[in-house]
Amino acid sequence: MQRIINDPFNCVEDMLEGFLKTHSDIVVKTDNPRTIKYKNAPVPGKVGVVTGGGSGHKPAFIGYCGKNMVDAVAVGEIFASPTAKAFLDAMKEADSGNGVACLYGNYAGDNMNVKMATTFAEEEGITVKTVVANDDVASAPKEEKEKRRGVAGEILMWKVGGAKAAKGGNLDEVIAAAQKAIDNTRSVGIGLTSCTIPAVGHSNFKIEPGTMEVGIGHHGEPGISVSALKTADEMAQEMLDIILPDYPFVDGDEVVALVSGLGATPIMELYILYNKVEEILAAKGIKVYRSYVGNYFTSLEMMGATLTLMKVDEELKELVDEEVDTVGMKQFK
Amino acid sequence: MQRIINDPFNCVEDMLEGFLKTHSDIVVKTDNPRTIKYKNAPVPGKVGVVTGGGSGHKPAFIGYCGKNMVDAVAVGEIFASPTAKAFLDAMKEADSGNGVACLYGNYAGDNMNVKMATTFAEEEGITVKTVVANDDVASAPKEEKEKRRGVAGEILMWKVGGAKAAKGGNLDEVIAAAQKAIDNTRSVGIGLTSCTIPAVGHSNFKIEPGTMEVGIGHHGEPGISVSALKTADEMAQEMLDIILPDYPFVDGDEVVALVSGLGATPIMELYILYNKVEEILAAKGIKVYRSYVGNYFTSLEMMGATLTLMKVDEELKELVDEEVDTVGMKQFK
């Protein structure tokens, strides 16, 4: 394990300390060491936006905390849900009296802990409504969409929900916008190498050299097929063949496209993949309204990439265009 | 080689196509396929800022092209200098009649090609002055500073030079600011794994598991020591023990700190490293004025990190604070 760490059991604490030191212009700590917040949260008059999840996915989740995006984040161990208490404290830190939108990913631990936190928050007089991201097409068939995991599409959900809140939307309007964003979003990943949780010391899954795993999850959850390693162009085609029919995305549609590396893939290669993605979309009459390419949602040192498409209408375009100032995404108006 | 590529000999072209598609709001192509420019270049009345270098270091070099930073970039093959023609065309694209500052790194190929390009540019009536980055402390002893390579400190040189140009500095003032930035800057890297150029297909150097190479260059150039893998805290100490006495940085100084991953190291670990760096600096009375932590200057899929410190005074602080909108660095005023 060639890693830059101290005690493998203390990585999240060490990382959080460094993160808070580096980004004190955007985020600050709270009384709960596993809850961080936007330095101006709660923002008076604004619906609070909260998320949370396991560590190891940087810049997700804490990297999307900041102006016009997420107000407070619950931080879990590596690849493990934050506690209900961390979610509850995030809700409290984000609430300005206008309610809280908790926008998170569909994983058993997160579902359980958000549910508990919501109950506790309500007892304290905070109104919480939730949207559960389930954009990973490969994680369950369309008929069982409620079983699908949330992956990089969560970023677009936070972007849209955060923008709606920033523009003065009430809680129901923020929830509706975030729900619409994730309903319009589909993702799929391809894994080329595995990754190792420092405290475990060895990988829990394996991808043989010369092969690739299509549909792999953000924690190495099994994909839908293992095949010989293909070219970037073939990967782009295979990913789009999975995503496009699922929504469906059709001729005349406009989309936001997001290609994220899984951690260790050179950034150059993400652009090589995106180059073909946009070419295929253009040939089908699907226009890319805006694209994001980079390490937006990673899985430690996995090699591979995810492709996410969100169909956009005028409302979603306006929200996606909103200025944001976070660690993981900075966007000028 | 678990990679997302097509023809290994065509990676740079494929990447550039994807890059230009993704970031058409910031950069555009030119008549030379190996020269890209800021969409608003040449900026009327402003000194042009140019750089260039080999590919595989993303977001360097093209990722720093944009508002208030670099106006045009010459693009080389992976780990190889751009041609003199590419540098010349970048100079032409950047020049608004106020001269061009070419700010680049100290490598044999770049030195030769920039020199030729400068001669050709002068023949066409464009005034070009240069600053050569040599921030890598490990690459030569202090007495032979002119032999040292440029590494991640180049980013701070571009940031400062670009800001001076944006604020209306004339060519001599831009050159002086960029020279001051790099003179005040020291870097060192630690490598944990090697990397592979796709067209070569195997690594040209090796770092044994369980070891680390201190002082390694951005292309795997040999470092100053190989030792057993240490903890993050020990690495931070070792890096600072090399950097601090070289300038020197002393009690009462203020610095900009930049920790960059080399490509495949999980971002979490960069924060773990930075956490200790800031702690050691604080104990020595050295204040971090601003810090950058992330994948700012990579070497394909190498694991490891570089640490860069720039001593700042009021002039440099004002320039570092200038707003920038590039792919690799976005900073609100």
Side-chain angles (χ1 to χ4, degrees), chain A residues 214-231:
Chain A
V214 178
I216 197 165
H218 268 180
H219 314 98
E221 296 93 335
I224 49 179
S225 73
V226 175
S227 65
L229 190 61
K230 298 183 179 175
T231 67

Side-chain angles (χ1 to χ4, degrees), chain A residues 64 69 151-159 258 296-297 329:
Chain A
Y64 297 103
M69 213 158 169
V151 285
E154 294 184 41
I155 297 164
L156 303 178
M157 171 180 71
W158 301 324
K159 179 83 189 68
L258 188 159
Y296 284 95
F297 202 126
M329 184 180 286

Side-chain angles (χ1 to χ4, degrees), chain A residues 1-6 11-12 14-15 17-19 21-23 25 55-56 58-59 78 192-193 198 207-212 229-235 263-276 278-279 290-293 295 298 300-301 303-305 323-325 327 330-332, chain B residues 1-6 11-12 14-15 17-19 21-23 25 55-56 58-59 78 192-193 198 207-212 229-235 263-276 278-279 290-293 295 298 300-301 303-305 323-325 327 330-332:
Chain A
M1 215 177 30
Q2 295 294 86
R3 309 294 278 272
I4 307 176
I5 57 173
N6 297 305
C11 285
V12 176
D14 287 352
M15 173 275 289
E17 275 189 37
F19 187 85
K21 280 177 181 150
T22 306
H23 304 296
D25 55 325
S55 294
K58 208 148 271 56
I78 296 176
L192 303 188
T193 67
I207 300 171
E208 295 294 337
T211 71
M212 63 184 212
L229 190 61
K230 298 183 179 175
T231 67
D233 286 358
E234 290 167 336
M235 289 185 207
T265 282
I267 302 169
M268 178 171 69
E269 300 176 19
L270 306 177
Y271 288 109
I272 294 175
L273 183 65
Y274 178 72
N275 187 41
K276 188 67 179 182
E278 189 177 309
E279 186 187 309
R290 185 186 279 272
S291 57
Y292 300 96
V293 177
N295 285 318
T298 64
L300 295 170
E301 81 284 18
M303 284 187 144
E323 178 174 292
V324 285
D325 186 10
V327 175
K330 291 181 195 286
Q331 187 173 298
F332 288 85
Chain B
M1 216 177 29
Q2 296 293 87
R3 308 295 277 274
I4 306 176
I5 57 173
N6 296 305
C11 284
V12 176
D14 286 353
M15 173 275 289
E17 275 189 35
F19 187 84
K21 281 178 181 150
T22 306
H23 303 296
D25 55 326
S55 295
K58 209 148 269 61
I78 295 177
L192 303 188
T193 67
I207 300 170
E208 294 293 337
T211 72
M212 63 184 213
L229 189 62
K230 298 183 178 174
T231 67
D233 286 358
E234 290 166 338
M235 289 185 206
T265 282
I267 302 169
M268 177 171 70
E269 299 175 20
L270 306 177
Y271 288 108
I272 294 175
L273 182 66
Y274 177 72
N275 187 42
K276 189 65 179 182
E278 189 177 308
E279 187 187 309
R290 186 187 278 273
S291 57
Y292 300 96
V293 177
N295 285 318
T298 64
L300 294 172
E301 81 285 17
M303 282 185 146
E323 179 174 291
V324 285
D325 186 10
V327 174
K330 288 180 195 288
Q331 188 172 296
F332 288 87

Side-chain angles (χ1 to χ4, degrees), chain A residues 135-141 148-149 187-189 214-217 222-224 242:
Chain A
D135 52 305
D136 185 353
V137 174
S139 54
R148 286 181 175 173
R149 298 181 294 256
S187 300
V188 70
V214 178
I216 197 165
I224 49 179
I242 293 169

Side-chain angles (χ1 to χ4, degrees), chain B residues 23 55 168 175 194 202 227 274 280 290 294 314 327:
Chain B
H23 303 296
S55 295
I175 289 291
S194 67
H202 60 84
S227 65
Y274 177 72
I280 296 170
R290 186 187 278 273
E314 294 310 311
V327 174

